[in-house]
Amino acid sequence: MKSSVFGQTEAIVPPSNRSASSLEKNVLFFADKRFKVSQSGSITLDLPTLFNGQLFPTYSSASIILQNPYVILIEDIPLYHAQEGAWIGLTTRYYMATKFKIEVFDVNDGVNQWRTIADVSNNAAWHYMARISPGSVCPSKIRFTIYNTNDTQNRLGISELFYIQPEGAQAYDGLMVRYNSQGNVGIGTNSPMAKLAVDGNILAKEIKVKTDITVPDYVFEPDYELNSLDYIADYVKNNKHLPEIPSAKEINKDGLDLAEMNLLLLKKVEEMTLYAIQQDKEIKSQSLKSVEQKNLLEEQRKEIADMKRIGKLLEQRIHQLESKK
């Protein structure tokens, strides 16, 4: 009788430009945008290139000074227990690091101390990966310190820095979208509070919003009561915003509903159109009255002139009659 044996092994392919796997659980995807990343020492590298998953290298133009080694510090990373299955390292194509140290700041059970994961003096490969073990290490920070490279001028090249955590990171964590149990989708946010939550700018050729909010064409109905401009003036003076339009304080607190705001603004435009029509009628009415008054004054002027002429004729006639006596 044969017995069945169940075997389980752990393995990971060191990530590099020669491999096609192993970065899908990298906690450090876009770490320069998601966490606090700083660099110090005698050289600088392009930080975004170190965390974009492209495995395309960035090189230093200056040389590393041994007394002032190059240090990259990554802080505020998510707290996951490394347990027995987490890997940390770096990869490049040229100017590879030969002497370097990799450390994590362990906060598990209040330890709060730096732990050395790797202290390498004679690295001869284009990539390096160390396993975080043993025990339940919970890193909150990662520090890479690089002293020497294989370059004769001690320049450095790095393609990617990675912290691969199979249990603690979702595939391509933070690279594209984040889903939650309510079916919400987040881009640039770990806590989407709507069906689609975007923490950043949106670029689009066209956006259409469908809403059940009533379009305010009722403003043009004959029975619509338009507020007087005196009422609007008093309201604006007292409230510092138009009637029905949210205040700055409300918008800062609750955000801006684009569909609702656009229709409210449309309503205000339609009301302004009614005010303009009303004002135009009043201007035309005033103009007509002005013409009528002008004509009336002209007629009165003619009548007065006629009365003056008749008065003179009467005076002449009276004078003639008196002279015959």
Side-chain angles (χ1 to χ4, degrees):
M1 180 178 179
K2 295 182 178 180
S3 61
S4 298
V5 178
F6 176 75
Q8 180 176 342
T9 60
E10 297 174 355
I12 185 170
V13 177
S16 73
N17 64 310
R18 299 171 180 83
S19 65
S21 62
S22 297
L23 280 180
E24 64 272 12
K25 291 285 189 174
N26 183 14
V27 176
L28 300 185
F29 270 128
F30 294 129
D32 58 306
K33 297 179 177 63
R34 301 166 57 216
F35 313 132
K36 181 180 179 182
V37 179
S38 59
Q39 59 181 332
S40 59
S42 44
I43 66 167
T44 59
L45 295 177
D46 181 54
L47 290 180
T49 304
L50 303 181
F51 306 105
N52 62 12
Q54 190 178 6
L55 294 172
F56 193 84
T58 173
Y59 300 110
S60 68
S61 57
S63 305
I64 297 177
I65 300 173
L66 188 60
Q67 294 76 19
N68 189 20
Y70 178 58
V71 179
I72 294 182
L73 178 63
I74 307 163
E75 303 177 80
D76 302 327
I77 63 175
L79 300 180
Y80 301 128
H81 287 101
Q83 298 180 6
E84 293 294 333
W87 291 261
I88 191 168
L90 69 162
T91 180
T92 189
R93 299 187 191 182
Y94 302 100
Y95 305 164
M96 65 182 181
T98 56
K99 179 177 175 58
F100 55 89
K101 183 185 293 186
I102 303 174
E103 302 165 280
V104 300
F105 191 78
D106 183 14
V107 298
N108 184 54
D109 290 335
V111 172
N112 296 331
Q113 67 179 18
W114 285 101
R115 294 186 183 276
T116 299
I117 304 303
D119 191 353
V120 181
S121 296
N122 297 295
N123 180 53
W126 297 110
H127 53 264
Y128 180 86
M129 182 171 63
R131 188 175 187 175
I132 300 178
S133 64
S136 185
V137 179
C138 185
S140 67
K141 305 176 187 179
I142 298 174
R143 183 165 62 197
F144 295 84
T145 304
I146 300 173
Y147 303 91
N148 289 323
T149 75
N150 69 336
D151 177 51
T152 55
Q153 299 180 41
N154 211 27
R155 293 169 295 183
L156 174 65
I158 297 179
S159 297
E160 197 81 19
L161 298 177
F162 56 87
Y163 168 38
I164 298 172
Q165 203 347 323
E167 293 182 355
Q170 296 185 20
Y172 301 103
D173 195 10
L175 180 61
M176 296 180 66
V177 299
R178 173 65 64 86
Y179 300 87
N180 68 7
S181 58
Q182 287 75 42
N184 294 339
V185 177
I187 300 176
T189 174
N190 293 331
S191 303
M193 303 300 291
K195 287 302 178 185
L196 175 60
V198 181
D199 186 5
N201 297 330
I202 299 175
L203 177 64
K205 289 184 177 180
E206 181 178 340
I207 297 177
K208 289 184 178 181
V209 179
K210 292 186 177 181
T211 177
D212 56 358
I213 303 174
T214 303
V215 178
D217 289 349
Y218 54 81
V219 168
F220 296 122
E221 295 295 332
D223 59 349
Y224 180 72
E225 295 185 6
L226 189 65
N227 290 319
S228 69
L229 287 176
D230 288 337
Y231 170 81
I232 300 296
D234 289 339
Y235 187 94
V236 170
K237 181 179 179 180
N238 295 326
N239 297 279
K240 304 299 185 292
H241 64 89
L242 288 171
E244 302 178 275
I245 300 297
S247 66
K249 185 177 181 180
E250 291 172 323
I251 293 174
N252 289 335
K253 177 184 176 183
D254 303 324
L256 185 65
D257 187 321
L258 291 179
E260 181 182 19
M261 179 59 76
N262 279 333
L263 291 178
L264 283 173
L265 292 176
L266 174 61
K267 181 178 180 181
K268 296 307 168 186
V269 170
E270 291 177 340
E271 288 179 339
M272 288 176 62
T273 302
L274 289 178
Y275 287 125
I277 293 173
Q278 200 175 72
Q279 188 177 42
D280 183 65
K281 287 181 179 180
E282 292 176 358
I283 291 173
K284 287 180 178 178
S285 176
Q286 292 291 338
S287 178
L288 181 60
K289 288 179 181 180
S290 178
V291 172
E292 290 176 350
Q293 289 175 348
K294 183 179 180 180
N295 292 336
L296 179 61
L297 289 172
E298 182 64 22
E299 290 178 1
Q300 290 175 345
R301 188 188 66 78
K302 289 180 179 180
E303 290 177 357
I304 292 172
D306 290 342
M307 291 175 68
K308 286 182 178 180
R309 182 173 56 81
I310 293 171
K312 286 184 179 182
L313 290 174
L314 288 172
E315 287 180 3
Q316 292 175 0
R317 182 61 178 167
I318 292 170
H319 182 71
Q320 290 175 355
L321 289 173
E322 289 179 349
S323 62
K324 288 182 179 181
K325 289 182 180 181

